[in-house]
Amino acid sequence: MKKQVTLGLIVGNRAFFPSHLALSGRETMLRVLEEEGIRVVALGTEDTEHGSVVTLEDAHKCADLFKAHREQIDGVLVTLPNFGEERAIANVLRFADLNVPVLIQAFPDDPPRMSIEYRRDSFCGKMSACNNLRQYGIPYSLTTLHTVDPDSESFRADLRRFAAVCRVVRGMRRARFGMIGARPAAFNTVRFSEKLLEHSGISVDTLDLSEVFGQISRLDDADPRVATKSEAVKAYANAARVPPAALTKIAKLGVVMDQWIAENELDATAVQCWTSMQEYFGVVPCTLMSMLSDSLTPSACETDIAGTAAMYALALASGKPSAIVDWNNNYGDDPNKGVVFHCSNLPRSIFSDEIPMMNYQEIIAGSVGVENTWGTIYGRIKPEPFTYLRLSTDDLNGRITSYVGEGRFTADPLETFGGYGVVEVPNYQELLAYICENGFEHHVSINQAQVADVIREAFTKYLNWGVYYHRG
């Protein structure tokens, strides 16, 4: 479910343009925002003329209102029913200092109504407003059309996209992630910089596996929390093949993970899923991680915190569960198709089958024993469009970098194990070359929604992260 967004509303107005347009424009915009499920913080008509911003005093009033609601405001919408006073608009944003995304919208003129009484000139005023924001160093977003009717589907789509940008920016600037266990020794590829993430507002808490196993040892099999978790696991996936003893272990691990996540107010996790857990505890955590991701609390494999961050960003943008997979195999001779795979911990929502099958982890079963690897989720990813995203900390250059794009899962025939799907990505070979040439990880986060433009806008314009946007 998408988090409801709150926008601060600035209604532009200019003294020698028809001010009644500011009043009607404000009313129209407030109605559209309500219809789109967006909360609003705005001046009232009793505060300034028509609730608009024209003078320096108006700018201070609006900025003070925004500052009083700083914790609620996710972004600001500037609407221009007429030319608008560009200085007042820029001053509101400077005085309030919210550091949130800003969307500029301008009303279109109606050719039959171009007399002095009805001519808006918002077309021109938008350029002046943007010019001032550029001078003030305030980043902003634009509508698809230069001028656009708030009632149009074009603007409503812009508004939904902007709301998604706001969710991503706010969420990533205050994200809290948890890392359970150390990085698997064989996986240098998932190294990351906690300091670079912290500098961007992302905190990482850690929990050693010894602490997890110690807390589990204190849990009695008859503990009601264990029984509750066991029933939740069985309701989530088909556990008919899983030995009862393994199911109990999985439930106990789930109780400990859930408690740690709640106590530390974590938004997402990454787990050392092999092989210490299998050798010294006797299950895999994949089903529990799948359940977390399906509830929009992403959980990534192999302590891949950077992959977790990408999963979380996609979930914020779409309001749908994210998964993490490997770019894993070619698909025949088709250069634009490939196979993605994980063992898996993929969220149930992305599978073709409504109830996926719990199984054992076939890859590592040969080294640690089948009996120690129960708890994976098997299934095929349903054929739908998707967005892929990889986020990485470029420690050598001191920055966060990423790539993003869109493709589709296909129904092409494939029989294999784990969680898997066939993907089609435009100019796939160019993408693969970019990944290899720039040293990105083999993991990629995916989400069955088309939000690449949202991610690019949020990352580049408001988070100042590097993004390569791969297009067809």
Side-chain angles (χ1 to χ4, degrees), residues 81-308:
N82 63 27
F83 190 100
E85 177 53 65
E86 68 259 30
R87 293 177 303 170
I89 291 167
N91 281 334
V92 170
L93 294 169
R94 173 176 280 177
F95 298 159
D97 194 25
L98 299 179
N99 192 26
V100 297
V102 177
L103 178 64
I104 313 295
Q105 176 271 341
F107 277 72
D109 272 303
D110 184 5
R113 307 183 81 189
M114 293 285 280
S115 67
I116 191 66
E117 186 180 359
Y118 290 104
R119 205 174 89 176
R120 298 178 183 275
D121 286 12
S122 308
F123 188 103
C124 187
K126 180 175 179 177
M127 299 176 197
S128 293
C130 292
N131 176 278
N132 276 253
L133 295 187
R134 182 73 175 241
Q135 291 184 47
Y136 279 48
I138 298 170
Y140 52 88
S141 298
L142 301 173
T143 52
T144 304
L145 301 175
H146 185 69
T147 55
V148 62
D149 186 339
D151 268 316
S152 69
E153 183 52 39
S154 178
F155 176 71
R156 290 176 185 266
D158 288 334
L159 193 57
R160 293 167 201 145
R161 185 166 50 249
F162 180 67
V165 170
C166 293
R167 289 194 300 269
V168 172
V169 172
R170 176 178 280 266
M172 298 307 288
R173 279 181 175 161
R174 55 181 64 186
R176 293 182 52 79
F177 299 151
M179 189 172 83
I180 301 176
R183 171 181 57 80
F187 263 53
N188 283 358
T189 186
V190 294
R191 285 173 168 169
F192 71 98
S193 169
E194 283 193 51
K195 290 182 178 180
L196 285 176
L197 293 179
E198 192 71 68
H199 188 69
S200 291
I202 300 171
S203 297
V204 180
D205 281 359
T206 60
L207 180 66
D208 194 81
L209 281 181
S210 64
E211 297 178 73
V212 175
F213 298 156
Q215 291 178 43
I216 288 173
S217 69
R218 297 171 184 167
L219 274 176
D220 192 275
D221 289 2
D223 190 305
R225 294 172 297 171
V226 176
T228 299
K229 193 65 179 180
S230 181
E231 289 304 312
V233 169
K234 288 187 287 187
Y236 180 81
N238 185 343
R241 296 187 61 199
V242 182
L247 192 58
T248 298
K249 286 183 179 181
I250 291 170
K252 287 184 175 182
L253 174 61
V255 169
V256 171
M257 288 176 63
D258 289 348
Q259 181 174 318
W260 184 64
I261 289 168
E263 288 177 350
N264 290 278
E265 300 178 3
L266 302 177
D267 300 300
T269 56
V271 182
Q272 183 192 353
C273 47
W274 60 271
T275 59
S276 294
M277 190 169 292
Q278 293 75 53
E279 293 184 56
Y280 301 107
F281 184 56
V283 295
V284 295
C286 304
T287 297
L288 299 171
M289 297 165 69
S290 171
M291 294 171 71
L292 287 167
S293 293
D294 209 54
S295 64
L296 302 185
T297 307
S299 190
C301 315
E302 293 142 353
T303 64
D304 185 1
I305 284 290
T308 298

Side-chain angles (χ1 to χ4, degrees), residues 329-339 380 410-415 421-423 428:
N329 312 91
N330 61 290
Y331 187 77
D333 296 326
D334 193 326
N336 288 324
K337 289 184 180 179
V339 176
R380 176 159 185 163
T410 76
D412 290 309
L414 181 66
E415 292 295 330
V422 177
V423 297
Y428 190 34

